[in-house]
Amino acid sequence: IQGTPADWRVMLPKGGASGDMCEARYLLDGFEVDRTAIQDYPPENIVAIEVFRRASRVPVELGGTALTRDCGAVVIWTKRGGG
């Protein structure tokens, strides 16, 4: 995680041997959201957090395909979403 609390972002390695980093995609209960949507989410409502380091590891159900994405994802499951 990089940045100040008001401007944090999760950086993950891109595929390949270059060592380049990219910002993860953020999903809340399986739906892609902007990182600001989860920035102040109440921790007591979070059931689980999954981190998929590479695009090829993100399940298809969550929009993952190595062909269309360069980076992995952070998936947050909440009580509301039935996680």
Side-chain angles (χ1 to χ4, degrees):
I1 297 178
Q2 296 180 345
T4 63
D7 189 38
W8 65 269
R9 35 184 56 58
V10 177
M11 303 301 289
L12 298 172
K14 277 189 172 183
S18 68
D20 291 341
M21 302 293 279
C22 56
E23 184 174 1
R25 292 185 305 124
Y26 307 97
L27 293 97
L28 184 64
D29 293 324
F31 296 96
E32 192 162 350
V33 296
D34 185 86
R35 68 180 166 80
T36 58
I38 57 175
Q39 198 165 4
D40 294 320
Y41 199 84
E44 62 273 10
N45 292 336
I46 295 173
V47 175
I49 299 174
E50 295 179 278
V51 177
F52 297 96
R53 289 177 45 101
R54 295 198 173 6
S56 62
R57 299 290 185 197
V58 179
V60 174
E61 301 87 2
L62 299 175
T65 67
L67 300 175
T68 59
R69 306 281 186 176
D70 287 335
C71 203
V74 175
V75 184
I76 298 174
W77 299 103
T78 69
K79 294 176 183 176
R80 181 185 51 133

